[in-house]
Amino acid sequence: MSAASVPVSLHDLTRAELGALFARWEFSPVHVARLWRYLYWECVASLAEMPELPAKVRRRLADETRLHTPGIALETDSSDGFTRKYLLRLEDHERIETVLMRYTGRVTACISSQVGCAMGCVFCATGQMGYTRHLTPGEIVAQAVHVQRVLRAQGQRLRNIVLMGMGEPLHNYDAVMQAMEILRDPNGLALGAERITLSTVGVVPGILRLAREKRPLRLAVSLHAATQPERAALVPAAKKWPLDELMAACRTYSETTGRRIFYEWTLIEGKNDRPGDARAVGRLLQGLPAQVNLIPLNPTAGFAGAPTRTEASHRFQRILAEEFKIPSTVRQRRGIDIAAGCGQLAVAEKN
Ligand code: SAH
Ligand code: SF4
């Protein structure tokens, strides 16, 4: 099937785009509002569940658009019950991970931006998988809708999104931004700028574009090492976007947007969790509006490193706080039993 012959997915469209479509079809804007409510308030899975839409509208939608709800290939709870991970099946049967997290009373969805990832970080399960394809805006949106549907049945609402699932969101910039616009719509899921966190491996042109376009979201940058050779050994993408260029882009981002950046640091025992490493990152970030999110390594099959010990992560935090006045958090290793494979969960939702 050629791309042109595939009808547009309803989850691909902003409310304004749906409005334009309905105007072209000469349907009343009232129906757009109703459809939007069904899609993002009631989170229904099919046109059959939209009785308030006239039959002729539903017929047209059935003929010229599609509404796909990803099936659940697998779902698992963490042993502590705080995290539920879904393996969702897309229309072409590719699988992606979406995670629902409930820590400290906040409900967060960790969503994917690609099937696999091209960046090849050595410790990451998704990186070890390689790249298959970008997700469409609708496939990104559908993950949040899936989580909201689950929550709605329990009388709750999705409050936060972290783009920390599979994939590199700035490698799929346009689709991710279109999806975020849909998720921010005040008549839909209404996720505010402070409630969407995008995590990047350090795609420099993407960071500069976010700054230029003043995209309303929180930015997290995966650092993991404070020198170019050490970073390039963990994050091959650093060869393309070296550390000095990355830090210059981060500075521009913070200056242009007035926002601080969250710097992620996956702690690997004996590799980047020593006092010297903490001081190196402290020096690197000094003077920048920064918070460090420390993530103890989640062991994966393709990487021999071990997670840091609790004492080492606390020592790391102490050095950042006392010697550099840089705030940091350590992600608790809750839910670790089901976390492998996802881009590793909530660093941002605790902040
Ligand atoms: N591609 C983006 C977002 C997805 S990964 C990025 O790299 O930032 C989200 C976070 O999880 C990143 O900071 C990533 O380095 C981290 N991560 C990936 N695999 C991990 C693992 N096995 N253990 C701990 N953190 C991991
Ligand atoms: Fe891709 Fe992020 Fe995993 Fe690196 S850590 S391979 S960028 S998903």
Side-chain angles (χ1 to χ4, degrees), residues 175-190:
V176 167
M177 294 309 143
Q178 169 86 353
M180 293 310 112
E181 199 176 326
I182 294 166
L183 297 179
R184 285 181 41 241
D185 190 290
N187 293 322
L189 292 181

Side-chain angles (χ1 to χ4, degrees), residues 195-212:
R195 300 193 173 272
I196 297 176
T197 302
L198 182 151
S199 172
T200 178
V201 72
V203 178
V204 166
I207 294 171
L208 294 173
R209 191 169 162 198
L210 285 176
R212 223 172 27 247

